[in-house]
Amino acid sequence: MTKPRYDKAQLKDLLLQMMETELGGEQVYRTALTCAINGDLKKEWEEYLDETRSHQNVVRMACESLGIDADEAVPSRLVVRHIGQSLVKAMELAKQGGGPAAAQLVACECVVHAETKDHANWELLGKVAQAASGPVGQALKDAHDKVEKDEDHHLYHTKGWCRELWIESLGMPAVLPPPEEVKQVETAIGASRAEQQRSKML
């Protein structure tokens, strides 16, 4: 059975978008940390910032192994950069116009936005890694294996934080740290199960 084909030009574009996403993610986390008032959340985001810097190196190495200039400017990168800068601006606006709790909520939402794109990038790279063969397939698989678990953790845990901080802001009982954090979920199924158990954790 032959392996499915993939578009090499589009793979290059994906990798360059991934590079920009990770660079923008660093700025998102730096700004989000200035908005964090919950100690556990701040600690979590500090870890994610370190991991995001590490992910930048993984993408750069993957690009190099495929003969791609990781700093090459392409139109899609401008879009990704604009979105990242917009998220940073949104957090800065929240800090100016609302109280600390409101700014923290906005920061949580911005991190979820950023990590949704980031998670999708790595998921797509995993699909190409399965389709590719030889040195290219191995390089992509190695990169994906190094980062996939981190990306799952970043997205599902921050979504949990966002939900629980919103519930708290609405004057209702919240689970903090969120169930996703307590249960250390790493998958969409695990995140769903953790959320379903939140009422037992109140």
Side-chain angles (χ1 to χ4, degrees):
M1 181 178 171
T2 59
K3 285 212 168 200
R5 294 180 181 176
Y6 61 93
D7 187 310
K8 291 180 181 178
Q10 193 66 4
L11 169 60
K12 176 183 175 181
D13 196 73
L14 173 62
L15 282 163
L16 292 175
Q17 285 195 44
M18 290 175 75
M19 191 73 242
E20 196 63 47
T21 302
E22 297 295 351
L23 291 170
E26 178 178 349
Q27 300 311 312
V28 167
Y29 277 116
R30 285 184 183 280
T31 309
L33 279 164
T34 68
C35 301
I37 53 176
N38 181 291
D40 291 325
L41 178 60
K42 191 164 190 174
K43 184 181 176 185
E44 191 84 352
W45 282 349
E46 284 169 348
E47 291 174 8
Y48 295 179
L49 173 58
D50 287 341
E51 288 167 353
T52 297
R53 290 197 200 101
S54 173
H55 298 170
Q56 291 171 9
N57 294 330
V58 174
V59 178
R60 195 170 287 281
M61 286 173 62
C63 286
E64 286 174 3
S65 66
L66 272 64
I68 296 168
D69 177 5
D71 298 314
E72 183 181 339
V74 292
S76 60
R77 285 188 82 147
L78 294 176
V79 176
V80 174
R81 187 178 306 153
H82 177 77
I83 292 169
Q85 290 171 346
S86 297
L87 295 175
V88 169
K89 181 65 176 173
M91 288 184 275
E92 289 170 348
L93 284 171
K95 284 171 67 178
Q96 293 167 14
Q104 181 175 248
L105 261 181
V106 170
C108 247
E109 290 180 342
C110 288
V111 169
V112 170
H113 281 301
E115 286 296 352
T116 298
K117 166 64 172 168
D118 206 6
H119 186 271
N121 286 344
W122 285 99
E123 193 171 41
L124 289 167
L125 193 76
K127 300 289 186 191
V128 183
Q130 291 172 3
S133 57
V136 171
Q138 192 59 52
L140 298 181
K141 185 178 185 302
D142 290 346
H144 184 260
D145 289 349
K146 286 175 186 172
V147 174
E148 181 193 22
K149 204 168 185 180
D150 288 348
E151 293 300 339
D152 289 339
H153 188 107
H154 292 188
L155 179 61
Y156 302 131
H157 286 229
T158 303
K159 284 176 79 172
W161 275 103
C162 200
R163 181 191 63 245
E164 296 301 325
L165 287 171
W166 254 111
I167 288 170
E168 182 183 54
S169 78
L170 290 164
M172 298 186 290
V175 180
L176 292 169
E180 291 85 350
E181 188 78 6
V182 176
K183 301 286 185 182
Q184 285 298 310
V185 303
E186 305 292 351
T187 64
I189 293 172
S192 177
R193 286 176 180 160
E195 184 178 355
Q196 288 169 10
Q197 294 172 14
R198 70 175 300 279
S199 60
K200 298 175 184 176
M201 301 171 74
L202 290 169

